[in-house]
Amino acid sequence: MKKAELVFIPSPMLSHLISTVEMAKLLLQKDARISITVLIMKLPNDTVLESYTQKLSAATDPCSRLKLINLPGQDEMMPMKSETFLFDFIDSQVIPDLTQYKNSDIELLVPCFSSPIPAKVLPYVFVEDAPKSKTFLGSFKKFRETRGIMVNTFSELESYAIQALSTDANTPKIYPVGPILNSNDNNSPENVSEELILDWLDNQSESSVVFLCFGSMGSFDECQVKEIATALENSGQRFLWSLRRPPPKDKMELPKTYDDPQEVLPDGFIERTKGVGKVIGWAPQMAVLSHPAVGGFVSHCGWNSTLESVWCGVPMATWPLFAEQQLNAFQLVKELGIAEAIRIDYRRAFKAENPMDIVRSEEIELGISRLMGNNGKNEMKQKVAELKNKSRMALQEVGSSYTAQSLFIEDVINGIA
Ligand SMILES: O=c1ccn([C@@H]2O[C@H](COP(=O)(O)OP(=O)(O)O[C@H]3O[C@H](CO)[C@@H](O)[C@H](O)[C@H]3O)[C@@H](O)[C@H]2O)c(=O)[nH]1
């Protein structure tokens, strides 16, 4: 049976609200296929509307087809010009308090994803920090004002998203031109003995090593580091772990390499895992992922790391931290099927001062063993191998990204239509 879900948004005035609610009741009575949500705005100190909504809420069965959502009000009237105060107020409510997604199991339809997105994988600000989310949404909206957008992806990787954007009349022209990769490992911000690391990998058998690296900004506090170490030790898995020191809490700095990582590792960890694993600082990531000894990548799912892993045909285990990484993790695990989940919805503020959650060693160990299991013969590894080939073909002459690059150049020369 076809159904329709309607959302009614009356002005924040009793007269508007009452007629809207009555209209909703009438439609619901007329047809069982309809459900209606009424978003209720309330001006500060409007006690009349307040008492009406209280009575209405008490009389409405929360399981019925009529849903009432009280938008979070403001305690004080904003400074408003008298003639336009109502519209100013409505505008101020346009981006609702998205923190209503906090701890919510709701799933949302997002045009670039083929399956519904759990609200938990939305970027941190949208779930935890409503005022900042306004700023973010505001700048993203400005993308619509551009005449074209180059995207570091390739059509074969994100065909659904590219199709959705290309058929949306409000979106500028999309040029999927990637993968554009960090081809030069000399970009390292720190002194790295690449040779030592690659020599170590040369002595490991094919696809036997799990590589752990969390991007240029990823680091963990001591308690979480110990859980990772325990997981690695208990798994017996060969590993190469890029472990970096969190920046001081009061400074906007990137993580740095430890002078001696033993200060945060469990006692005796380095000796006990000697020959099995190696703890390093900044990793020559592209060289590592390209090495045949590497069979899996535990990653924060930054987009560059994602593309590099695809390019090298290495399956991933997802452990997103911040920014859009949860969405990338969702895409890798659920949409593309080229990653195992340690977590998809792990999330924390940009700096790790107060991690809301510690991922325990058992959970990490399970993710790693699923990632490294089956000796390279499972479906996930096959899928990533196919995408590896497609990523390389995309950049070859007549490949999809090569063609998009040429089209971009033509459009720029001719002034993008
Ligand atoms: O030890 C390391 C750590 C990182 N890298 C390289 O650094 C880059 C990291 O990029 P990415 O995986 O995208 O992670 P972030 O540095 O965290 O990138 C930021 O920018 C990305 C692109 O917008 C977003 O997807 C992320 O969420 C955001 O955190 C990659 O090229 C890695 O190869 C190394 O070579 N060695």
Side-chain angles (χ1 to χ4, degrees):
M1 183 172 70
K2 278 193 174 172
K3 290 185 174 177
E5 295 215 25
L6 306 179
V7 179
F8 286 0
I9 313 176
S11 289
M13 291 157 71
L14 187 63
S15 50
H16 288 226
L17 178 59
I18 291 177
S19 53
T20 305
V21 170
E22 291 307 314
M23 186 68 213
K25 285 184 186 162
L26 190 147
L27 289 174
L28 293 172
Q29 206 179 12
K30 266 178 103 69
D31 200 311
R33 294 171 301 175
I34 287 179
S35 23
I36 296 177
T37 301
V38 183
L39 301 185
I40 302 174
M41 291 183 269
K42 187 178 79 67
L43 289 167
N45 307 321
D46 187 343
T47 48
V48 182
L49 191 137
E50 175 75 42
S51 105
Y52 170 77
T53 49
Q54 275 176 7
K55 280 187 207 144
L56 183 67
S57 301
T60 307
D61 176 357
C63 301
S64 72
R65 287 179 289 122
L66 177 64
K67 297 257 171 317
L68 306 168
I69 296 184
N70 289 293
L71 293 181
Q74 285 151 354
D75 296 336
E76 307 247 331
M77 184 68 87
M78 305 157 64
M80 292 168 181
K81 287 191 214 123
S82 57
E83 334 69 88
T84 60
F85 84 94
L86 199 58
F87 296 98
D88 293 343
F89 179 80
I90 293 171
D91 271 356
S92 77
Q93 302 262 306
V94 164
I95 296 173
D97 182 357
L98 286 156
T99 55
Q100 63 187 264
Y101 292 147
K102 201 171 174 171
N103 304 324
S104 160
D105 287 327
I106 197 171
E107 295 196 327
L108 309 161
L109 289 174
V110 176
C112 287
F113 289 85
S114 61
S115 24
I117 299 291
K120 285 179 198 155
V121 306
L122 290 177
Y124 179 87
V125 282
F126 297 127
V127 185
E128 304 278 345
D129 193 342
K132 280 206 197 98
S133 71
K134 276 193 179 189
T135 314
F136 274 79
L137 285 176
S139 25
F140 295 150
K141 268 190 182 163
K142 291 207 179 113
F143 290 171
R144 284 200 190 281
E145 294 163 26
T146 63
R147 290 163 75 185
I149 302 178
M150 260 202 278
V151 188
N152 191 5
T153 189
F154 56 103
S155 332
E156 294 79 0
L157 182 70
E158 297 193 273
S159 51
Y160 189 88
I162 291 162
Q163 178 70 16
L165 292 173
S166 308
T167 50
D168 172 10
N170 291 321
T171 305
K173 196 162 174 181
I174 299 293
Y175 303 89
V177 295
I180 308 297
L181 303 169
N182 170 12
S183 56
N184 185 357
D185 273 328
N186 295 329
N187 292 335
S188 157
E190 293 164 32
N191 267 340
V192 177
S193 175
E194 183 170 331
E195 219 175 282
L196 272 181
I197 295 168
L198 297 181
D199 279 355
W200 185 83
L201 284 173
D202 285 345
N203 288 316
Q204 313 303 321
S205 50
E206 196 175 322
S207 296
S208 67
V209 175
V210 62
F211 171 51
L212 297 88
C213 188
F214 298 87
S216 58
M217 295 179 272
S219 60
F220 297 103
D221 68 2
E222 187 174 336
C223 176
Q224 185 63 78
V225 167
K226 287 199 160 66
E227 295 289 333
I228 299 175
T230 308
L232 287 171
E233 202 173 342
N234 290 347
S235 73
Q237 185 64 56
R238 296 192 167 268
F239 67 86
L240 180 66
W241 178 11
S242 165
L243 171 63
R244 304 175 77 226
R245 177 199 289 281
K249 301 212 181 310
D250 53 344
K251 292 210 173 117
M252 269 317 276
E253 280 179 10
L254 292 180
K256 294 216 168 68
T257 296
Y258 284 99
D259 293 331
D260 179 4
Q262 300 198 68
E263 67 178 88
V264 284
L265 289 166
D267 281 347
F269 174 82
I270 297 280
E271 297 80 65
R272 289 195 300 277
T273 57
K274 209 170 184 161
V276 178
K278 193 171 176 56
V279 177
I280 57 172
W282 179 268
Q285 185 166 297
M286 265 304 268
V288 168
L289 288 171
S290 309
H291 198 287
V294 173
F297 180 20
V298 176
S299 169
H300 71 312
C301 310
W303 192 242
N304 294 296
S305 295
T306 300
L307 290 177
E308 289 163 14
S309 212
V310 165
W311 178 258
C312 298
V314 178
M316 296 163 84
T318 60
W319 186 340
L321 302 177
F322 38 72
E324 89 300 6
Q325 294 156 15
Q326 295 77 18
L327 278 171
N328 299 343
F330 177 85
Q331 185 177 1
L332 287 164
V333 175
K334 303 284 185 196
E335 302 235 308
L336 295 169
I338 58 169
E340 289 288 348
I342 291 178
R343 288 277 182 94
I344 292 180
D345 57 1
Y346 182 86
R347 145 159 48 82
R348 66 172 203 216
F350 179 61
K351 287 206 163 197
E353 296 103 33
N354 304 309
M356 294 174 278
D357 190 7
I358 298 283
V359 186
R360 296 291 166 201
S361 63
E362 296 79 11
E363 209 177 335
I364 305 168
E365 190 187 335
L366 189 69
I368 289 178
S369 48
R370 282 200 310 254
L371 171 68
M372 301 302 285
N374 291 337
N375 209 15
K377 293 195 179 60
N378 63 25
E379 201 187 333
M380 184 175 75
K381 292 188 178 169
Q382 200 180 325
K383 280 187 182 163
V384 77
E386 280 165 21
L387 279 175
K388 170 184 173 173
N389 289 339
K390 287 180 178 169
S391 69
R392 286 156 194 258
M393 277 160 62
L395 290 179
Q396 280 169 19
E397 207 169 330
V398 308
S400 61
S401 295
Y402 182 94
T403 309
Q405 292 164 8
S406 310
L407 184 62
F408 173 79
I409 294 171
E410 279 311 305
D411 282 352
V412 170
I413 302 282
N414 297 321
I416 305 175

